[in-house]
Amino acid sequence: MEIAMDTVVEPAKTFVEVAEIWTPEGDRLVLSGGVYGGHDRFAEASRAESFAKGEGLPGKAWAEARPVVLKEFDGSYFRRTEVAKEAGLTCAVAIPVFAGKALRAVLVVLCADDAERTGAIEVWSEAEGILKLADGYYGAARHFEWVSQHTQFPKGQGLPGAVWSAQTPILMRDLGSGYRFVRSESAGQAGLAIGLGVPIPVPGGKTFVLTLLSARGTPIARRFEIWDARAGKTAKMVDGICERDGPLWDPENAGRERVASVWEGPVGHALGGGVPVAETGAAANGYAMMVALPIHRGGELSHVVAWYC
């Protein structure tokens, strides 16, 4: 007699494993929050650290006023290399959050690398009227990385160019088949499905766009949200998608409108404090990790983007 066995499906590995928030205190950056996914020794080492301007990865993003991608730690300015290697972490991206000229925080996300993890975290910068790849981390998506290194975007074209033109965060679906995504063929080959593009305002008016490209097998996130915060004390979701719930926003269905109030929930805390928020467990709606990243435009908070892993 055959006995039916329940099939246990392991959740897919996520592309990002750690998120931490560094905020200025005097002339140094100190750790104000983070989610470490069980990497306790790395969390302990992080809590013992602080960074002056120009020191380590958070200090470099502060000093250079730009997002910084660090694809390997050995021989670099990264100060927690040994414990990072013990945790299996291999690269990191630091995202400064400025309100006008004032630094509010630096968000650092750290990834683990293996032969299977696919996804992309990219930084695009403007030079001579066109967006070029400043740097990026792609995991196993080597061909897509090569294509990206040889692709440029005028204002309004592709995901980076659309973000540059609109000066707002943008979600794109079906990257492998979408005509709006310029690199669709190579994205489809890499299994990339969803793209989130985010403007990163910095002092001096330089243009930087951060793109997070998520694959189904090793997603950067299982849920993405974009919140319009220009109303002040509330933010309204203007786009969102979840692998479990499908579309989170429907312009034709006002009954599905979602609003976050200041200081209520992680998005509300990002709205109220103007600094990134990283949560886990119940505060992250049961996800292993959520990050809410505020975007300031002209010194005022304009949007909050959130992703849940």
Side-chain angles (χ1 to χ4, degrees), residues 31 62 111 209 286 298 303:
L31 187 68
W62 181 13
C111 306
V209 174
H303 293 82

Side-chain angles (χ1 to χ4, degrees), residues 159 170-173 175 181 193-197 212-214 224:
L159 178 57
I170 292 175
L171 261 176
M172 277 190 180
R173 289 105 163 136
L175 299 186
F181 194 74
I194 297 172
L196 173 66
L212 307 177
L213 309 180
S214 191
F224 293 95

Side-chain angles (χ1 to χ4, degrees), residues 11 17 22 69 105 126 134 146 181 185 215 237 258 282 300:
E17 294 206 354
W22 299 85
V69 179
E126 184 269 335
W146 183 89
F181 194 74
E185 182 177 353
M237 186 187 293
R258 305 182 190 213
E300 300 293 330

Side-chain angles (χ1 to χ4, degrees), residues 202-229:
V202 298
K206 292 184 178 180
T207 296
F208 292 99
V209 174
L210 174 76
T211 52
L212 307 177
L213 309 180
S214 191
R216 291 185 176 89
T218 53
I220 284 179
R222 295 180 168 89
R223 177 185 181 108
F224 293 95
E225 300 170 350
I226 298 177
W227 299 79
D228 189 328

Side-chain angles (χ1 to χ4, degrees), residues 145-175:
E145 179 177 8
W146 183 89
V147 170
S148 301
Q149 291 169 343
H150 294 82
T151 303
Q152 300 176 354
F153 294 98
K155 184 176 284 189
Q157 186 180 74
L159 178 57
V163 172
W164 180 20
S165 177
Q167 292 299 306
T168 62
I170 292 175
L171 261 176
M172 277 190 180
R173 289 105 163 136
D174 302 320
L175 299 186

Side-chain angles (χ1 to χ4, degrees), residues 56-99:
L57 180 59
K60 186 176 179 67
W62 181 13
E64 297 187 4
R66 65 178 180 91
V68 177
V69 179
L70 185 57
K71 289 188 280 193
E72 57 182 58
F73 299 146
D74 285 336
S76 75
Y77 47 82
F78 194 77
R79 296 213 313 218
R80 296 165 284 165
T81 298
E82 291 305 316
V83 287
K85 289 171 68 174
E86 287 178 15
L89 303 171
T90 55
C91 71
V93 180
I95 305 160
V97 178
F98 284 94

Side-chain angles (χ1 to χ4, degrees), residues 16-72:
V16 174
E17 294 206 354
V18 169
E20 50 186 24
I21 297 130
W22 299 85
T23 51
E25 190 173 288
D27 61 353
R28 301 189 72 82
L29 292 172
V30 299
L31 187 68
S32 64
V35 176
Y36 289 89
H39 298 310
D40 296 336
R41 287 201 61 199
F42 186 76
E44 183 180 350
S46 299
R47 285 191 288 267
E49 279 283 10
S50 67
F51 298 95
K53 198 171 188 177
E55 287 184 345
L57 180 59
K60 186 176 179 67
W62 181 13
E64 297 187 4
R66 65 178 180 91
V68 177
V69 179
L70 185 57
K71 289 188 280 193
E72 57 182 58

